[in-house]
Amino acid sequence: FFLKTPHCTPPNPTISLLSLLPAAALSAPASFLAAGEPPVVVDLRPREAFEQCHLSGSSSLPLTSLRVRLFELPPPGEWPLTLVGSAAELETARALLLPKGWKFEERHADDSAFWEGAASESGPDSAPLLRPNAFLASALRQVDLPEAGAAIDVGCGSGRDAVFLAQTLGDTWETIGVDNHKGALERAQRLADGCGVSAAFALANVRKQSLSDLTERPISIVHGCRFLDRPLLRALPEVVAPGGLVVWSTFLDGDGPPQAPPFRPSRRLQRGEMEHLFGESRGFEVLRAEEGTLLTRGVWESAQFLLARRTR
């Protein structure tokens, strides 16, 4: 595969994977990530080439599987990402990923100079690829977790965030992803199985069914991203256990007309709406309420991000 077979050397503590990447690759595209967040390095080469030699800390995702495994990549534009592959592999990946909003650095594996001095290793071990949405990661790093109970990811889609919750919270919690799209839930279950975590996925319409129907345990975390149902949000003070968390991000009716869906104002939050829904009078303490952007159809649109804890 290589124009010249790279010399695979043991990891060198003085030459890190980070040092091989330009400063731009180390700057998280979302403000919720800590400065210097390590990049997610994805090796597009065939598995055999990866096992022969790869950058320490990189993940194997062969180009032949990329299209059907896109949901395993970090959310587009939210985490620093670097792709490693041949010129042809990188060109194909570029055509697939850029229109969907992913941004990344490229490293040409068929350039022997790239491997010189690199911290590399051989063998089948592939680093974990999973990353949640950046705000969820930031929020859970910030707060003390409530007493173990159920964590529910509303509108979980293909399961990135639900699987992250299951990984982070551990087996003492019950993690449930809920969505009304059967195909997405099947992908979510495959992702959970591949990551070796225990998470349940429920096919349900949360606009018609209470979250309390999904579990017999106290609901200690409710998370939602790119999802808005006002009756559901209004009901959360009665659903979330005392001490529990609400972590939510969705689109905001911003200063100008939207350039991508959702277009209707009723499908977007108004400024101050979440702070009112989860304010002191509703039995919550707002820990974070911020404006930013979320990606939709390749366009970054205004969004609201909220972290709140139920106090009573």
Side-chain angles (χ1 to χ4, degrees), residues 10-271:
N12 183 335
T14 64
I15 305 176
S16 71
L17 186 150
L18 295 181
S19 69
L20 298 175
L21 304 177
L26 309 183
S27 300
S31 60
F32 303 120
L33 299 180
E37 184 75 34
V40 180
V41 180
V42 179
D43 195 318
L44 300 171
R45 299 172 300 150
R47 186 70 186 189
E48 296 79 6
F50 177 86
E51 293 186 7
Q52 179 187 20
C53 188
H54 57 267
L55 291 178
S56 301
S58 60
S59 304
S60 176
L61 180 53
L63 180 67
T64 52
S65 304
L66 182 60
R67 185 178 296 273
V68 296
R69 294 175 60 188
L70 286 177
F71 64 94
E72 297 181 31
L73 290 175
E78 297 192 25
W79 294 79
L81 181 66
T82 296
L83 303 183
V84 176
S86 68
E89 288 164 341
L90 291 169
E91 181 180 6
T92 301
R94 197 182 307 126
L96 176 63
L97 298 178
L98 289 180
K100 299 181 183 298
W102 274 283
K103 306 296 183 185
F104 44 85
E105 297 290 330
E106 299 179 5
R107 290 293 173 265
H108 290 258
D110 45 12
D111 180 0
S112 59
F114 169 66
W115 298 96
E116 294 177 3
S120 57
E121 58 191 14
S122 59
D125 290 345
S126 175
L129 185 57
L130 179 76
R131 301 292 190 280
N133 75 74
F135 181 68
L136 175 60
S138 171
L140 292 194
R141 289 172 181 173
Q142 171 187 342
V143 297
D144 294 328
L145 293 176
E147 185 176 343
I152 299 180
D153 184 21
V154 180
C156 69
S158 297
R160 282 192 197 99
D161 296 332
V163 173
F164 168 78
L165 285 169
Q167 284 183 330
T168 302
L169 300 174
D171 294 337
T172 60
W173 286 70
E174 178 185 22
T175 301
I176 303 168
V178 57
D179 205 289
N180 63 357
H181 191 290
K182 183 178 180 181
L185 293 177
E186 291 172 350
R187 292 191 293 273
Q189 189 63 65
R190 291 201 304 271
L191 183 61
D193 293 343
C195 292
V197 300
S198 176
F201 295 96
L203 182 66
N205 185 346
V206 296
R207 291 186 169 93
K208 299 180 179 179
Q209 181 177 351
S210 172
L211 297 184
S212 299
D213 296 337
L214 301 175
T215 179
E216 296 181 355
R217 298 187 65 178
I219 298 176
S220 298
I221 295 178
V222 176
H223 169 260
C225 182
R226 294 179 172 84
F227 184 86
L228 177 60
D229 182 68
R230 288 179 170 87
L232 182 148
L233 292 175
R234 286 195 290 268
L236 287 185
E238 306 302 322
V239 171
V240 177
L245 299 171
V246 174
V247 187
W248 210 272
S249 53
T250 196
F251 297 102
L252 180 70
D253 191 13
D255 297 324
Q259 303 301 308
F263 291 107
R264 286 186 288 173
S266 62
R267 295 295 182 90
R268 291 174 175 252
L269 290 167
Q270 300 299 309
R271 283 196 169 95

